[in-house]
Amino acid sequence: MTQDAWARLESLARAPGASAIRPLFVADPERARRFAFTADGIRLDIAKTSIGPEAMEALLALAKARDVAGQRRAMAEGAHINATEDRAVLHMALRAPRGSFRDGAEDASATVHDTLDAMAAFTKRIHAEGRFTDVLNIGIGGSDLGPLMAVRALHKPDSPMRAHFLSNADGHAWDALRQQLDPARTLVLVASKTFTTAETMSNAHLVRDWLRNALGEAGDAQLVALSTNLQATAAFGVPAGQVFGFRDWVGGRFSLWSAVGLVIALSCGWEVFAQLLAGARAMDEHFLTAPDERNLPLLLALTEVWHVNGLGLPTRAVLPYDERLSRFAAHLQQVEMESLGKRVTLDGAPVARATGPVVFGEPGTNAQHSFMQLLHQGTTPVPADIVLIARPDHSFAAAHRLLLANGLAQAEALLRGRDAEEVRAEMLAAGKSEAQVEALLPHRLFPGDRPSTTILLETLTPFTLGQLVALYENKVFCLGALWGVNAFDQWGVELGKQLASVILPELSGGTPKQHDGSTAALIAELGRLWPEGARG
């Protein structure tokens, strides 16, 4: 049944004109309405893709053949769908009411709410004391990208504390950041589930030494750990009451809703964090209950399947037209590429077709002046997700109208393109000669029929940001189910870490190990350029 569903979909995608979008609007004057979907105020418009009624029917049939609904139910019931690590996948429990989720005998929701209660009490105490003006979050990957994205989106001038993030193990990052901070006024969060992440702990030692040099042993009172390794956090000097944990059924890239989100609560306020959770919970409830044909995360995933597997498009651009979402694309890079960059199925067999595409992006107007040239005239179409916020928080109405006009225009330009007749008329009207027109004409043609998806929010609030992020998280689940891969492990990040632990002592004069010729030569050259005696 699954093979038949894939075969039907791929046959439709190979048909002549399958990538054309403009004819679909001609054939169906109601297309803009039929291919726009809403849930709790968030609007998903996929009309500017080449998915027509027959393709949509085939995509929905594929979702049924792959039993996405059954796999979704298994996840919500606490089944260990992360089979390679024998774990449940319960990031939805992080924003759910008490009594909603279990992992076998464990009441996952109770565990979550115990942590949330402790986080709320700690946050309110810190704010009431008024001692700290800044909070520094030390983490990497999911312990940095998600919280940083959310703080950038939600922090306001009157928010309780300024937030700073240290992820890169490059000492230049800390060297620049420490100039902005007063050790007596800075609360430090160290986010590492195991408290062994090499980059995070390297930075944590630098910052702890900075605190101790300025404040003595009393500086340890300003350390907070987001970890489950109580022995390691105690040895590091973190006070016992300042450790907040999260369970192994929370993957790092899905963890901003957990204790990892403490920096959001401290910098933006507890009510902001609570509303962020509420928005994600609203999207989860929609995802768990809405029928397939109106289910936003599933429809977003099916659109990606059409582009990746049907049309063979291996990349996607994410273009939020709002400066507050400047790190949204970076967060999605990890959520999607770490989850879906898989080459074997759940049973270990090679995948039969392409899986996760490359995701990249920037705020929309910045992208227009950097890489949008490739989207409009490059050789391979790049689908784009365009995120628009209808109403701004600022009072500069003209600036926001310009922003929205640009977002709408980019999507329209990708769709309609510009043909020879239009270009010729424009150039002749501008006074160009026939010879000039013919010479320049090929350079000024736009093929059009390039797909984009638009997501529209009325405002950007903690609630709507929660909806938006959960929309993409649940999309990732759907794609894992459709492709038959485990979207919740990340073995691909391990090999480089292991090899780095071998190379590190060699850079301090240790006995060389066996490497490929290039790596061995580079280690030797680094030893020449930065001899051991010159290192601090």
Side-chain angles (χ1 to χ4, degrees):
M1 183 178 177
T2 297
Q3 290 306 314
D4 290 344
W6 275 115
R8 181 186 175 205
L9 180 67
E10 289 162 351
S11 175
L12 287 171
R14 288 193 301 268
S19 62
I21 307 170
R22 287 168 293 188
L24 297 175
F25 283 92
V26 176
D28 180 9
E30 293 294 309
R31 178 171 176 79
R33 180 183 61 81
R34 296 184 203 279
F35 284 82
F37 310 88
T38 60
D40 294 318
I42 187 169
R43 179 184 178 95
L44 172 66
D45 183 338
I46 60 172
K48 293 188 185 74
T49 71
S50 61
I51 298 172
E54 194 173 6
M56 178 60 79
E57 182 183 342
L59 287 163
L60 291 169
L62 175 66
K64 285 188 167 49
R66 290 293 307 148
D67 192 25
V68 173
Q71 295 186 63
R72 179 180 62 203
R73 185 166 54 253
M75 176 177 66
E77 290 174 353
H80 285 206
I81 65 169
N82 180 355
T84 63
E85 297 178 301
D86 190 24
R87 293 175 181 171
V89 175
L90 292 176
H91 50 273
M92 285 197 291
L94 298 172
R95 56 255 190 162
R98 294 181 188 273
S100 302
F101 291 90
R102 302 191 67 83
D103 176 18
E106 179 188 358
D107 185 338
S109 297
T111 301
V112 166
H113 279 273
D114 287 347
T115 302
L116 287 174
D117 289 346
M119 289 169 61
F122 180 76
T123 299
K124 292 171 184 177
R125 175 172 68 81
I126 292 296
H127 291 163
E129 289 174 355
R131 174 183 169 191
F132 298 109
T133 55
D134 297 82
V135 54
L136 170 60
N137 187 87
I138 305 172
I140 198 165
S143 297
D144 170 75
L145 289 165
L148 171 56
M149 176 274 300
V151 168
R152 287 274 181 92
L154 301 176
H155 196 271
K156 298 182 182 302
D158 61 351
S159 291
M161 299 172 70
R162 293 185 296 267
H164 311 269
F165 293 83
L166 183 61
S167 60
N168 198 329
D170 185 343
H172 294 103
W174 171 235
D175 200 37
L177 182 57
R178 64 179 178 156
Q179 312 301 324
Q180 306 170 35
L181 300 172
D182 175 355
R185 305 278 280 167
T186 302
L187 188 68
V188 176
L189 314 184
V190 182
S192 172
K193 185 185 296 185
T194 62
F195 226 66
T196 59
T197 307
E199 300 89 343
T200 297
M201 297 316 299
S202 174
N203 281 328
H205 280 91
L206 291 175
V207 176
R208 185 190 62 182
D209 291 348
W210 171 73
L211 288 174
R212 287 178 174 177
N213 288 339
L215 307 171
E217 293 296 323
D220 286 3
Q222 295 171 209
L223 296 171
V224 179
L226 314 175
S227 177
T228 54
N229 189 342
L230 298 180
Q231 184 175 357
T233 60
F236 189 76
V238 180
Q242 294 179 188
V243 181
F244 303 89
F246 48 103
R247 299 282 285 107
D248 63 9
W249 32 254
V250 181
R253 55 199 176 277
F254 303 97
S255 65
L256 72 87
W257 326 95
S258 71
V260 169
L262 183 61
V263 64
I264 306 171
L266 285 165
S267 62
C268 301
W270 183 257
E271 185 54 34
V272 167
F273 187 63
Q275 282 298 303
L276 184 72
L277 300 182
R281 179 163 63 250
M283 181 54 67
D284 290 342
E285 290 170 353
H286 165 79
F287 175 52
L288 292 170
T289 61
D292 288 358
E293 63 273 14
R294 296 199 302 275
N295 194 299
L296 268 59
L298 178 59
L299 291 167
L300 196 57
L302 292 174
T303 301
E304 187 120 300
V305 165
W306 176 252
H307 290 147
V308 172
N309 304 117
L311 303 182
L313 306 179
T315 57
R316 192 180 88 256
V318 177
L319 309 172
Y321 277 80
D322 194 298
E323 182 63 23
R324 294 170 294 179
L325 293 175
S326 61
R327 296 299 288 166
F328 183 62
H331 175 59
L332 289 189
Q333 284 175 333
Q334 187 190 22
V335 170
E336 298 196 33
M337 293 170 70
E338 193 167 84
S339 297
L340 300 168
K342 306 295 171 63
R343 60 190 299 273
V344 297
T345 61
L346 276 162
D347 59 8
V351 296
R353 49 190 53 83
T355 57
V358 172
V359 178
F360 69 100
E362 282 289 330
T365 47
N366 292 2
Q368 291 171 205
H369 293 268
S370 58
F371 58 74
M372 286 299 289
Q373 166 66 35
L374 185 143
L375 272 67
H376 285 293
Q377 290 185 307
T379 55
T380 302
V382 178
D385 288 359
I386 293 175
V387 182
L388 302 177
I389 312 297
R391 291 193 287 110
D393 281 356
H394 58 69
S395 59
F396 311 113
H400 197 65
R401 281 194 297 271
L402 176 63
L403 190 73
L404 294 176
N406 273 277
L408 294 170
Q410 290 296 314
E412 186 175 35
L414 289 167
L415 168 67
R416 64 178 285 186
R418 177 165 285 183
D419 61 22
E421 182 180 352
E422 187 177 359
V423 173
R424 181 175 285 107
E426 182 182 85
M427 293 181 70
L428 290 172
K432 301 294 184 183
S433 69
E434 287 286 354
Q436 289 174 315
V437 169
E438 292 309 312
L440 293 175
L441 186 62
H443 302 279
R444 299 182 65 168
L445 298 180
F446 291 69
D449 280 331
R450 304 223 154 175
S452 68
T453 295
T454 301
I455 297 171
L456 174 62
L457 307 178
E458 182 178 349
T459 57
L460 185 64
T461 65
F463 186 91
T464 61
L465 180 65
Q467 288 179 292
L468 181 64
V469 176
L471 168 66
Y472 278 91
E473 288 186 352
N474 292 326
K475 170 203 167 183
V476 163
F477 166 82
C478 292
L479 285 170
L482 290 162
W483 285 327
V485 300
N486 185 357
F488 302 103
D489 63 9
Q490 57 278 335
W491 299 105
V493 306
E494 298 300 324
L495 180 58
K497 291 181 179 181
Q498 293 169 1
L499 294 179
S501 69
V502 173
I503 292 171
L504 182 60
E506 297 180 48
L507 296 177
S508 299
T511 303
K513 302 295 191 295
Q514 186 172 358
H515 299 286
D516 64 88
S518 171
T519 302
L522 287 166
I523 291 172
E525 183 67 3
L526 284 167
R528 185 186 73 79
L529 295 171
W530 192 35
E532 188 173 0
R535 301 170 203 169

